[in-house]
Amino acid sequence: MAMEMEKKLDGDFQEGGVTFDAYSEAELEYSEEGIIDVNREHGGSAFLAYFNVVCVVAGTGTLGMPYAFALGGWIGILILVLSWTMSVYTGVILIRCLYANGKRRLSSYKEIATSCFGVIGGWVCFFFNAWILLGAPILYMVLAGSNLQELCEGTAGSIGATNWTIICCAIVAIPFIIVKNMKEVAWMSAMGAAATMIVVFICLVVACIDKKSLPAAHHDPVIWPQFPIALSTISFSFGGNSVYPHVEASMKQAKNWPKVVAGGLSTCAALYFLSAVPGYYVYGDQVKSPVYNSISDGVPKIIAIVVMTVHVITAAPILVTSFALDVEEMLNVTVERFGKVKEFFIRAAIRILVICFVGVIGCVVPHFDDLMSLIGSFANCGLIFIFPIVFYFKLTGFRNKPIYEIAWCTLTLLLGIVGLIFGTIDSVKALIRDFK
């Protein structure tokens, strides 16, 4: 096997845009011979990686899903199914691209783009990636600050959403600075995943109770003018591709990645269905984002707000840690280069700057639902639906793919482009209206 690998490396595989038709799909994915991989000696289990996926992807997606249905109508079910299956597929092929040169595992989304389209392609991808890895925590801090202000209304703790947002950033900064890699944040991921499930259960039960006292809600099969922004909002709810390379690198057994991403995203899709369908059915076009603002006041609503606030505070470090790892790798911040103490202080300084940026932007743009749509349409549609397909074809070839896979990839690209263009336009208009 080793000789065959060496022969292929000398012949078929080259760096750059050359396709690699001679490699089998299995060898492209996780060959244990001939490819330089990350050190997995102290890697985590597939179960921990699963929690990382669920915690990052679920949460705010669960909160905004009924509102996305109100924008697009019941056709949101179809969009949800397509987004789910397409996200699983692109999550698998994105990691496959890390191994596609047959020589060494690439380290990041940016490095995949660089191997395909050079330095410019790498920086374009990094821009989109940074938009998500920083934009989503900004979104989380805005939500957490608003929640805490709502909970403390009328008490001495009512200090304003902006001040609470700053406090939440300070709380997130503690594990962000201390924790070094994705494996070490897995315990926070488990807490976040459990919090999401609790909130979905609470909203489901209360919505069923509210149905008895509310008038019949208005529903639409499809709302075509709002279809693109509904698509972008739903696509944001499956936005985990930015952290997948680092999550996979934290696993002891990389070959389990397809099971991890499929299981994690399927869990998220189930939570979305349990949130979106009852939420839109009960509250109709009056449903709000986040959805717990639509349920009746009382103890369950307070519990939902508290638990979801815990979730976003535990999920934010995962995203900003992924961004910090990319930056630290580009700057070559390593123990080997600087020593253990100096490396820690340099890494801490970088991460303090990152969390300060998150806090400042979070205090300036506090509109949760429209900000969610903008981030989803502008960046996630590219990172989830467009880039993985383009990189996959560039690295592994086009003509060697079956026709059904090419058709599926074409549909994925089409939906990604629609969401990217039209969703961004609508979201920017909404933000302009907010500030007026």
Side-chain angles (χ1 to χ4, degrees), residues 3 17 39 158 251 257 261 273 292 315 330 344 375 385 390:
M3 293 181 62
N39 186 354
S158 181
M251 296 173 58
W257 171 252
V261 71
F273 275 110
Y292 51 64
M330 288 188 293
F344 172 78
I375 294 173
F385 298 133
V390 174

Side-chain angles (χ1 to χ4, degrees), residues 10-302:
D10 291 339
D12 297 308
F13 271 90
Q14 300 177 30
E15 295 285 353
V18 182
T19 59
F20 313 124
D21 295 353
Y23 253 68
S24 72
E25 189 172 278
E27 289 170 333
L28 278 173
E29 287 185 24
Y30 305 110
S31 175
E32 296 181 357
E33 297 182 53
I35 297 180
I36 300 175
D37 197 1
V38 296
N39 186 354
R40 301 183 184 274
E41 182 180 356
H42 302 292
S45 66
F47 201 53
L48 292 178
Y50 161 83
F51 278 125
N52 273 330
V53 172
V54 174
C55 184
V56 168
V57 175
T60 54
T62 308
L63 302 176
M65 196 61 66
Y67 178 72
F69 274 43
L71 291 175
W74 284 117
I75 198 173
I77 294 177
L78 175 61
I79 302 174
L80 180 57
V81 172
L82 286 176
S83 297
W84 164 41
T85 53
M86 289 175 178
S87 298
V88 172
Y89 175 74
T90 58
V92 171
I93 65 172
L94 176 65
I95 299 304
R96 190 177 298 169
C97 290
L98 294 175
Y99 299 85
N101 68 19
K103 299 177 182 179
R104 68 176 182 88
R105 180 193 183 275
L106 303 180
S107 61
S108 64
Y109 214 141
K110 177 180 179 290
E111 197 168 7
I112 296 174
T114 301
S115 68
C116 291
F117 298 105
V119 175
I120 294 178
W123 281 110
V124 169
C125 181
F126 178 78
F127 171 76
F128 277 84
N129 212 39
W131 189 278
I132 291 299
L133 295 177
L134 294 179
I138 291 169
L139 190 70
Y140 290 169
M141 295 302 95
V142 170
L143 175 62
S146 300
N147 286 351
L148 290 171
Q149 173 60 24
E150 181 179 349
L151 291 170
C152 296
E153 197 71 44
T155 70
S158 181
I159 58 177
T162 299
N163 291 329
W164 276 118
T165 298
I166 295 172
I167 293 173
C168 290
C169 289
I171 294 172
V172 168
I174 297 172
F176 178 42
I177 295 171
I178 295 174
V179 170
K180 188 173 182 179
N181 55 47
M182 298 300 291
K183 178 190 172 184
E184 295 173 3
V185 299
W187 64 272
M188 288 185 285
S189 300
M191 290 177 57
T196 302
M197 295 176 186
I198 292 171
V199 172
V200 169
F201 177 76
I202 291 173
C203 292
L204 175 63
V205 172
V206 177
C208 293
I209 296 173
D210 287 347
K211 176 62 179 174
K212 300 176 183 179
S213 59
L214 292 175
H218 174 75
H219 309 99
D220 294 286
V222 58
I223 305 173
W224 289 115
Q226 297 294 328
F227 177 83
I229 195 170
L231 169 65
S232 64
T233 302
I234 293 174
S235 74
F236 174 81
S237 303
F238 288 96
N241 289 37
S242 300
V243 303
Y244 289 167
H246 294 299
V247 173
E248 189 267 353
S250 71
M251 296 173 58
K252 192 174 186 66
Q253 297 291 332
K255 64 182 179 181
N256 291 325
W257 171 252
K259 298 176 183 177
V260 168
V261 71
L265 292 180
S266 297
T267 300
C268 295
L271 293 172
Y272 294 161
F273 275 110
L274 289 174
S275 172
V277 174
Y280 183 53
Y281 177 73
V282 173
Y283 305 107
D285 57 358
Q286 300 301 310
V287 70
K288 300 176 182 178
S289 176
V291 65
Y292 51 64
N293 285 336
S294 295
I295 66 177
S296 57
D297 294 331
V299 174
K301 182 175 180 178
I302 295 174

